[in-house]
Amino acid sequence: MTRFITKQKNTKNVVPGNPVFVGNQKEENTRIRLIGYDENELVEVELKAISELKSYLSKYKKLWINIDGLHDVDLVGEVGKLFDIHTLVLEDIVNTDQRPRVDIEETYIFTSIKMMFLNKEIRQLEAEQVSMYLLKNVLITFQERQGDIFEPVRERLRNKKGRVRNYSITYLKYCLLDVIVDNYNFLMETFGEKVEELEDKILLQPNRNTLQEINKYKIELNYFRKAIRPAREAINNFKGLKTDLITNVEQPFFNDLHDLIQRSYDSVENYKSMLSEQLTVYSTNVNNRLNDIMKILTIFSVVFIPITFIAGVYGTNFEYIPELAYRSGYFVMWGVILFTVMIMLGYFKYKKWF
């Protein structure tokens, strides 16, 4: 299964504006959760149908509707009809390979972004698409699966922690984006520790496993970069934005969000360069080790050349060889061989060839 590109076979020959689910179904059933709140009151319910939303729209100043599971295109279409969401936006919501982006209109702000997490079973990064549709007093979020990193935000709502109950629904959207970006930084810190640990391995014991680790981290980093690069561009659109949906009170928070994701992006670029340098160092170390091995083998070969020559001369089949009649000729031959070896090794040592 490809991680970098999702096959778009379901959208072939489909008229634009007709939502079609693209991706892998990650939930058996779709779940609809609603949190209605203001400064003094909060209600949290799980709904069985979109039609139940109507009774809550006029009751609470701020509504957060979260839908887990994007495979139910009909349900997403019902949400679109209820809140007058354009069909092209609905099409992007159910396309899990949608590039992170922000659409800013007079009455709504649509944001699509990737939530990254580490699958501990297979030790790989995975991405989940999160779409946010912001209206004046309503925030609708769409996720691929249940169980996410938004639970701390829900706890702050329940326990009246921070500003989230007192500020507008736009501030809630900032909080959700902030959690996603903070998780980017957390993953990059964890990833960075692994990359930096490779440096000692490369210098002390470079082997095939080290090379496999470098290549594995390069793949994971490229996968992370695929998500964070367009996300940075999307969040940059919030900086200095002039719209009625983002007041002067919330604007500084979105500006800070841009700084946070820029930090993550810088980390990606830094570790990308570090891995490339580590691969170069690994190749250099392996080549140096190979050169050392070849040097030793060459030295042994050169040392044995004159020895082989001497033994070859005295191993010829001629009857009359002058030294054969000497009583100590054998020992003289060994003396010459050892003297030759010592002279050659001394010369190599003098030249610092080993």
Side-chain angles (χ1 to χ4, degrees):
M1 182 180 70
T2 58
R3 285 199 299 157
F4 285 82
I5 299 176
T6 302
K7 293 182 179 180
Q8 304 286 319
K9 60 183 179 180
N10 292 343
T11 61
K12 188 177 180 180
N13 300 325
V14 174
V15 178
N18 289 340
V20 175
F21 175 68
V22 177
N24 299 309
Q25 182 175 334
K26 299 178 180 179
E27 289 292 340
E28 184 176 351
N29 299 309
T30 302
R31 181 172 65 169
I32 308 166
R33 287 181 291 175
L34 177 144
I35 296 180
Y37 67 96
D38 55 28
E39 296 84 351
N40 304 312
E41 188 179 1
L42 181 142
V43 63
E44 185 173 0
V45 296
E46 185 170 328
L47 307 178
K48 295 182 179 179
I50 294 299
S51 57
E52 297 178 25
L53 282 173
K54 296 179 181 179
S55 60
Y56 291 93
L57 292 178
S58 58
K59 286 184 179 180
Y60 299 93
K61 293 182 179 179
K62 289 162 275 191
L63 283 178
W64 175 19
I65 304 163
N66 186 82
I67 298 174
D68 299 317
L70 302 180
H71 59 279
D72 192 340
V73 178
D74 293 335
L75 185 145
V76 174
E78 289 180 38
V79 176
K81 290 180 181 178
L82 181 60
F83 293 98
D84 194 24
I85 302 175
H86 197 282
T87 54
L88 289 175
V89 175
L90 296 177
E91 186 178 13
D92 292 337
I93 289 172
V94 295
N95 183 352
T96 60
D97 196 44
Q98 174 62 42
R99 190 177 190 270
R101 76 173 211 270
V102 172
D103 289 342
I104 302 167
E105 301 294 339
E106 185 176 348
T107 58
Y108 72 87
I109 298 177
F110 172 70
T111 306
S112 175
I113 195 169
K114 300 295 183 184
M115 181 189 297
M116 306 295 295
F117 62 95
L118 178 65
N119 188 324
K120 295 182 179 179
E121 294 182 0
I122 59 176
R123 303 296 299 172
Q124 280 186 348
L125 286 174
E126 292 188 1
E128 174 190 347
Q129 177 166 297
V130 178
S131 299
M132 302 181 184
Y133 193 83
L134 177 68
L135 296 166
K136 182 67 175 176
N137 297 310
V138 179
L139 175 64
I140 312 170
T141 55
F142 300 86
Q143 298 179 239
E144 292 186 56
R145 71 179 80 200
Q146 300 180 17
D148 52 60
I149 58 176
F150 291 155
E151 193 58 31
V153 178
R154 294 188 178 93
E155 286 297 322
R156 285 155 58 186
L157 282 168
R158 295 169 187 140
N159 301 318
K160 293 186 177 181
K161 291 184 178 180
R163 309 176 178 90
V164 65
R165 289 275 291 270
N166 298 320
Y167 280 24
S168 71
I169 196 72
T170 303
Y171 183 78
L172 175 62
K173 177 171 182 173
Y174 156 76
C175 291
L176 301 182
L177 289 172
D178 182 64
V179 169
I180 293 174
V181 174
D182 279 343
N183 193 52
Y184 286 169
N185 285 313
F186 171 76
L187 288 174
M188 282 312 303
E189 288 174 3
T190 305
F191 182 86
E193 291 175 359
K194 300 295 183 181
V195 172
E196 292 177 15
E197 287 174 1
L198 281 177
E199 292 187 352
D200 293 335
K201 294 182 181 179
I202 292 171
L203 295 175
L204 298 177
Q205 278 187 325
N207 52 43
R208 188 176 297 275
N209 291 334
T210 306
L211 179 60
Q212 290 176 349
E213 284 190 70
I214 293 174
N215 288 329
K216 175 186 175 182
Y217 290 143
K218 283 176 70 71
I219 292 172
E220 295 304 302
L221 186 65
N222 286 331
Y223 184 70
F224 195 98
R225 190 169 181 262
K226 175 180 179 287
I228 198 172
R229 187 175 182 179
R232 179 184 67 114
E233 297 172 3
I235 289 179
N236 186 47
N237 292 326
F238 286 111
K239 194 171 184 179
L241 182 64
K242 301 297 183 182
T243 175
D244 293 338
L245 294 175
I246 300 179
T247 66
N248 293 333
V249 175
E250 292 103 15
Q251 188 61 62
F253 295 103
F254 284 97
N255 294 343
D256 181 68
L257 190 65
H258 174 266
D259 295 337
L260 284 176
I261 199 168
Q262 183 64 46
R263 175 187 166 191
S264 296
Y265 182 76
D266 290 342
S267 297
V268 170
E269 294 300 311
N270 290 337
Y271 287 123
K272 181 174 181 291
S273 299
M274 186 178 293
L275 283 171
S276 297
E277 292 171 1
Q278 287 179 347
L279 188 59
T280 302
V281 171
Y282 172 83
S283 300
T284 302
N285 285 344
V286 170
N287 290 334
N288 287 340
R289 291 182 64 191
L290 181 60
N291 289 338
D292 290 338
I293 294 171
M294 294 303 297
K295 184 189 297 182
I296 297 298
L297 293 177
T298 302
I299 289 174
F300 273 98
S301 299
V302 172
V303 167
F304 276 93
I305 287 174
I307 297 175
T308 305
F309 172 75
I310 294 172
V313 169
Y314 286 96
T316 54
N317 295 322
F318 293 104
E319 183 177 354
Y320 299 104
I321 297 178
E323 294 80 0
L324 290 179
Y326 291 165
R327 183 179 295 274
S328 302
Y330 175 77
F331 300 105
V332 172
M333 183 191 71
W334 272 108
V336 173
I337 288 175
L338 293 175
F339 178 76
T340 302
V341 171
M342 292 177 65
I343 289 297
M344 295 186 72
L345 292 177
Y347 181 74
F348 294 156
K349 188 72 174 178
Y350 172 75
K351 287 291 188 178
K352 297 182 180 179
W353 289 352
F354 69 91

